Amino acid sequence: MGKSDFLSPKAIANRIKSKGLQKLRWYCQMCQKQCRDENGFKCHCMSESHQRQLLLASENPQQFLNYFSEEFRNDFLELLRRRFGTKRVHNNIVYNEYISHREHIHMNATQWETLTDFTKWLGREGLCKVDETPKGWYIQYIDRDPETIRRQQELERKKKQDLDDEEKTAKFIEKQVRRGLEGKELEVPVYTELNRESEEEKVAFNLNKGATTSIAASSKTSSVLGPNALKTVEGAVKRKESSHSSGQSKEKKKKSALDEIMELEEEKKRTARTDYWLQPEIIVKIVTKKLGEKYHKKKAVVKEVIDKYTAVVKMIDSGDKLKLDQTHLETVIPAPGKKVLVLNGGYRGNEGILESINEKSFSATITIDSGPLKGRRVEGILYEDISKLA
């Protein structure tokens, strides 16, 4: 049977089938021929042209292997450089785009068996930056083109020149400021003690003008009104300052007790939190399961604290005494209106009355019922910082 005509349906169908990618196992790299099925590949292997190519390859197989490896590497890197530049990309994405070309060099004809081996080789040779992630290997092309390096150096040089220009401008401005300040004396305010001549004298303050404007005004009036007017203004200023200082001293005397309370409160707030919170005569709950169901989730009263972290507790139900670490205990939050003890924080050691509970933020609001801060309302105290008193 003769060969089909070029425009016959069978010939057109064969050309359509031969387009695109076929199975790799039916491709002959030496002859660069792609077969469509196993029978075609078998017939090709038995052909005379294929046998001649094998004889040529057998004479120097390393030469052909090096040639195919070099072609594969050059084409792969060229695609990576042109398509992705210096971006970090998954190696499989680049490989799939590379093999989409029908006439590409197949990897089974190169010195690398897998894509992972080829990726590692690129990293060892310094051609790409490679890194392994749970999603696979990623590669990033290293551009060593002299033109690219020259452009980068020019950009760096331009940035450095811009910075130098900014520094020169800043120095020039600073120099101009210094030159403008030369020969001028800065006006420094002088603070003097003010004394009140008589207690019946009234003192008036002009709050519309600042200290600088008053000084400037006094200097102007001194030049216009003469020395007598200047003395009058100075006397008025002294009287005002003396009355102001006397008023401040009275306020300090009145607020001395309040200042002491504020200082005490600030000192408590500055106190750092500690990692121990046990206190005698508080009610706690046993949370460890090592003691069995008999004591699990049961309440007890702390009778004694040993070395800050260990407590001797007495069970409320049975009256048994146990020695437990604080990690096996937790605080007990009573109903509103009951007494609690602050165990940690700035108010540590103070007794209080529980006012309310905020379940969303796991905090409570209490009113201090002891010490100099008695009657003070404290909000946002955490559950683990307070416990019910026995």
Side-chain angles (χ1 to χ4, degrees):
M1 184 176 179
K3 190 174 181 180
S4 300
D5 187 24
F6 181 76
L7 296 176
S8 64
K10 186 175 182 181
I12 295 174
N14 289 337
R15 286 198 300 272
I16 292 174
K17 291 178 183 178
S18 63
K19 286 184 178 180
L21 296 175
Q22 303 290 332
K23 289 190 177 181
L24 178 61
R25 58 179 177 173
W26 295 332
Y27 181 83
C28 178
Q29 185 65 61
M30 285 297 301
C31 304
Q32 297 183 358
K33 179 175 177 59
Q34 176 70 62
C35 301
R36 291 202 300 270
D37 52 19
E38 186 177 1
N39 185 34
F41 185 72
K42 183 178 179 181
C43 293
H44 169 72
C45 292
M46 295 173 63
S47 63
E48 184 179 355
S49 61
H50 179 74
Q51 297 297 327
R52 285 198 304 267
Q53 290 293 336
L54 289 183
L55 290 175
L56 291 174
S58 62
E59 293 177 0
N60 193 353
Q62 191 63 34
Q63 180 182 359
F64 285 91
L65 184 65
N66 293 339
Y67 171 76
F68 290 135
S69 300
E70 185 178 357
E71 287 294 319
F72 179 82
R73 181 200 64 191
N74 294 338
D75 295 344
F76 190 90
L77 290 177
E78 184 69 14
L79 174 65
L80 179 62
R81 183 181 70 85
R82 291 184 178 275
R83 176 69 175 81
F84 301 98
T86 56
K87 294 181 180 179
R88 182 173 173 268
V89 63
H90 200 284
N91 60 350
N92 203 33
I93 296 176
V94 185
Y95 181 72
N96 287 334
E97 191 163 342
Y98 170 74
I99 65 175
S100 62
H101 182 56
R102 188 166 180 264
E103 302 297 331
H104 71 276
I105 303 296
H106 288 63
M107 185 173 285
N108 60 354
T110 64
Q111 64 184 15
W112 305 287
E113 296 181 358
T114 60
L115 181 60
T116 302
D117 294 340
F118 177 64
T119 304
K120 292 180 180 178
W121 182 86
L122 290 176
R124 288 194 300 269
E125 294 294 323
L127 299 174
C128 296
K129 294 180 182 179
V130 300
D131 59 312
E132 186 180 9
T133 64
K135 295 183 178 181
W137 287 87
Y138 283 82
I139 58 177
Q140 185 178 0
Y141 181 70
I142 301 175
D143 194 355
R144 290 191 171 88
D145 186 16
E147 185 67 21
T148 305
I149 296 174
R150 186 184 62 81
R151 286 199 302 268
Q152 291 178 355
Q153 291 177 352
E154 288 181 356
L155 289 174
E156 292 177 358
R157 194 181 302 113
K158 186 177 180 182
K159 289 181 180 178
K160 187 177 180 181
Q161 185 177 359
D162 294 340
L163 291 175
D164 294 341
D165 293 341
E166 290 179 0
E167 291 178 358
K168 289 180 182 178
T169 306
K171 288 182 180 179
F172 177 76
I173 294 173
E174 185 179 357
K175 187 177 180 181
Q176 292 293 332
V177 172
R178 288 180 180 176
R179 186 177 298 176
L181 293 177
E182 287 179 357
K184 293 183 179 180
E185 295 181 358
L186 296 177
E187 296 181 356
V188 181
V190 179
Y191 301 97
T192 58
E193 184 179 0
L194 299 179
N195 297 321
R196 199 175 201 182
E197 295 180 358
S198 62
E199 295 183 357
E200 297 179 355
E201 185 179 0
K202 295 183 179 180
V203 179
F205 293 95
N206 188 2
L207 301 178
N208 295 328
K209 298 181 180 179
T212 56
T213 56
S214 63
I215 294 173
S218 64
S219 62
K220 291 180 180 179
T221 53
S222 64
S223 61
V224 177
L225 301 177
N228 295 327
L230 180 61
K231 289 181 180 179
T232 306
V233 173
E234 288 179 353
V237 172
K238 287 182 180 180
R239 287 194 297 273
K240 291 178 182 179
E241 290 184 356
S242 63
S243 61
H244 184 63
S245 61
S246 62
Q248 285 183 348
S249 61
K250 289 181 180 179
E251 287 181 359
K252 288 183 179 178
K253 290 180 180 178
K254 290 180 181 179
K255 296 182 179 180
S256 59
L258 181 61
D259 290 340
E260 290 180 0
I261 296 176
M262 294 297 292
E263 289 177 1
L264 180 61
E265 185 177 357
E266 290 179 0
E267 184 179 355
K268 283 182 173 294
K269 288 183 178 180
R270 286 195 299 268
T271 305
R273 292 176 59 86
T274 58
D275 57 349
Y276 56 89
W277 53 269
L278 290 174
Q279 293 288 343
E281 301 302 325
I282 62 171
I283 297 178
V284 294
K285 184 185 292 185
I286 300 175
V287 295
T288 180
K289 295 182 179 180
K290 296 181 179 179
L291 302 177
E293 296 296 331
K294 180 180 178 182
Y295 300 109
H296 183 56
K297 295 292 184 181
K298 301 296 182 181
K299 295 180 181 179
V301 180
V302 177
K303 291 298 183 182
E304 183 183 356
V305 179
I306 303 172
D307 295 334
K308 298 180 181 180
Y309 298 95
T310 308
V312 177
V313 300
K314 182 179 180 181
M315 304 301 299
I316 296 178
D317 296 339
S318 59
D320 298 341
K321 287 189 176 182
L322 303 174
K323 187 177 181 182
L324 298 171
D325 189 81
Q326 71 172 6
T327 56
H328 298 154
L329 303 171
E330 69 175 13
T331 58
V332 175
I333 307 300
K338 300 291 184 179
K339 273 197 171 186
V340 294
L341 181 66
V342 182
L343 307 176
N344 215 336
Y347 302 96
R348 181 187 180 95
N350 289 325
E351 297 180 4
I353 304 297
L354 183 63
E355 298 291 341
S356 61
I357 298 173
N358 189 350
E359 296 181 355
K360 293 183 179 179
S361 60
F362 301 100
S363 61
T365 301
I366 66 171
T367 301
I368 302 299
D369 196 31
S370 64
L373 300 177
K374 184 176 181 180
R376 187 172 188 82
R377 182 183 177 88
V378 182
E379 299 179 355
I381 293 187
L382 300 178
Y383 285 170
E384 56 265 25
D385 290 348
I386 56 174
S387 188
K388 182 180 179 182
L389 275 172

